[in-house]
């Protein structure tokens, strides 16, 4: 049972780390030492990180959906397939 909950724990930890990264990135971008260009550059870096995280989330959801569709269409594989009962 504990092994079955491992993916849930990984997803929750990933969300937690993502939110912590967003908060830290926003704090880092706001602390621009008064320089306008430094602030703009930092916000560009934070924006690129957000775009990368968003694409990773999109790709992960698409992969899980295709995996679930494959399992749904073919049924769960039996092992060993050569063994008849």
């Amino acid at each position: 049972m504990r092994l079955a909950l491992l993916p849930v724990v990984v997803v929750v930890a990933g969300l937690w780390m993502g939110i912590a990264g967003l908060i830290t990135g926003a704090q880092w971008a706001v602390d621009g030492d008064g320089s306008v260009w430094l602030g703009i550059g930092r916000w560009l870096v934070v924006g690129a990180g957000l775009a990368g995280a968003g694409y990773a989330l999109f790709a992960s959801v698409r992969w899980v959906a295709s995996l679930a569709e494959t399992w749904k269409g073919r049924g769960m594989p039996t092992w060993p397939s050569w063994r008849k009962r």
Side-chain angles (χ1 to χ4, degrees):
M1 180 66 181
R2 290 181 187 160
L3 189 59
L5 292 177
L6 185 62
V8 175
V9 171
V10 169
V11 168
V12 170
L15 287 172
W16 187 348
M17 288 187 293
I19 292 169
L22 291 175
I23 293 169
T24 304
Q27 288 175 346
W28 175 72
V30 168
D31 185 30
D33 296 331
S35 172
V36 174
W37 290 110
L38 183 60
I40 291 171
R42 286 183 174 190
W43 277 110
L44 286 174
V45 169
V46 169
L50 283 173
Y55 178 74
L57 179 64
F58 167 73
S60 298
V61 168
R62 188 177 60 181
W63 178 78
V64 168
S66 68
L67 184 64
E69 184 178 341
T70 301
W71 282 352
K72 182 180 174 186
R74 297 182 189 166
M76 289 298 293
T78 56
W79 185 86
S81 60
W82 49 267
R83 187 174 168 188
K84 304 289 181 190
R85 289 187 179 208

